[in-house]
Amino acid sequence: KIGGQHRRFEINSEKAIFICIDFTHGVDKVYVYDFSASLIAEMDLNITSNINADSLVSIVEQIKKFLVDNNLENKKILSIAIAFVGQVDSETTCILNSGRFGSLIGVNLGQIFEESFSAPVIIKNNVQFMAVGEMIYGNLKPEYSIGVYLFIDYGTSVSIVNNRVPIEGWRGFSGET
């Protein structure tokens, strides 16, 4: 029927959340965003440098308590993004190498968080996420077809963006160099 009733659909940004976990050099934070990309809560994680697979349980419990304390425990978690220092296999989400978290080599970090929060998990090297942030919010403007993000700290990391797409390499092996 021409000229029929219009329907309006809205996304309720408060019904779902995204959790971002930053395991970088001494930062170790959790950020929670709503569906409109507004930051609604953040916390510092209490992490020692001697973290191992067993202490990941403590981290999961810290995050769950944080969600309860902020009245977010009943929100649908759409996804969890983890920025990690070191090499992470993008297919298996296992830690392959990390100067800071060497005791986690071989641990399937993605599986632990997926099972704990019943949400899909994406894990990337922290510099890969930094490059995407520059692409969306920073100096890597759309008119540039190639961008290189170089990070020098405890080690050297690099991420390359080509035509607005991060180049991840074989099984996600960009980042740590």
Side-chain angles (χ1 to χ4, degrees), residues 31-42:
Y31 304 92
V32 179
Y33 293 89
D34 67 14
F35 204 62
S36 68
S38 297
L39 178 65
I40 55 176
E42 69 179 271

Side-chain angles (χ1 to χ4, degrees), residues 28-84:
D28 304 324
K29 290 186 86 100
V30 175
Y31 304 92
V32 179
Y33 293 89
D34 67 14
F35 204 62
S36 68
S38 297
L39 178 65
I40 55 176
E42 69 179 271
M43 74 173 270
D44 293 323
L45 285 170
N46 184 12
I47 296 179
T48 65
S49 59
N50 298 330
I51 190 171
N52 58 37
D54 293 332
S55 55
L56 285 174
V57 173
S58 170
I59 292 169
V60 166
E61 292 306 315
Q62 284 182 60
I63 295 170
K64 286 183 175 184
K65 182 181 181 322
F66 165 71
L67 293 174
V68 169
D69 291 348
N70 286 279
N71 298 317
L72 299 170
E73 71 274 15
N74 294 323
K75 305 274 185 186
K76 168 104 174 113
I77 300 172
L78 294 177
S79 69
I80 299 173
I82 300 174
F84 191 80

Side-chain angles (χ1 to χ4, degrees), residues 88-101:
V88 180
D89 188 317
S90 63
E91 291 181 21
T92 65
T93 67
C94 286
I95 307 304
L96 299 173
N97 188 14
S98 177
R100 182 172 181 218
F101 299 118

Side-chain angles (χ1 to χ4, degrees), residues 101-169:
F101 299 118
S103 58
L104 291 179
I105 292 172
V107 172
N108 191 326
L109 195 60
Q111 181 180 12
I112 290 169
F113 279 87
E114 280 182 19
E115 290 174 357
S116 298
F117 293 97
S118 300
V121 174
I122 182 170
I123 303 174
K124 293 195 178 292
N125 178 272
N126 60 328
V127 173
Q128 290 172 320
F129 277 132
M130 289 176 191
V132 170
E134 281 296 319
M135 184 175 63
I136 296 170
Y137 302 108
N139 293 317
L140 187 54
K141 304 296 182 204
E143 59 267 20
Y144 304 131
S145 62
I146 295 178
V148 177
Y149 191 92
L150 177 65
F151 183 76
I152 301 172
D153 192 28
Y154 293 100
T156 303
S157 301
V158 66
S159 185
I160 300 171
V161 177
N162 184 25
N163 292 321
R164 313 284 299 159
V165 177
I167 298 173
E168 293 188 1

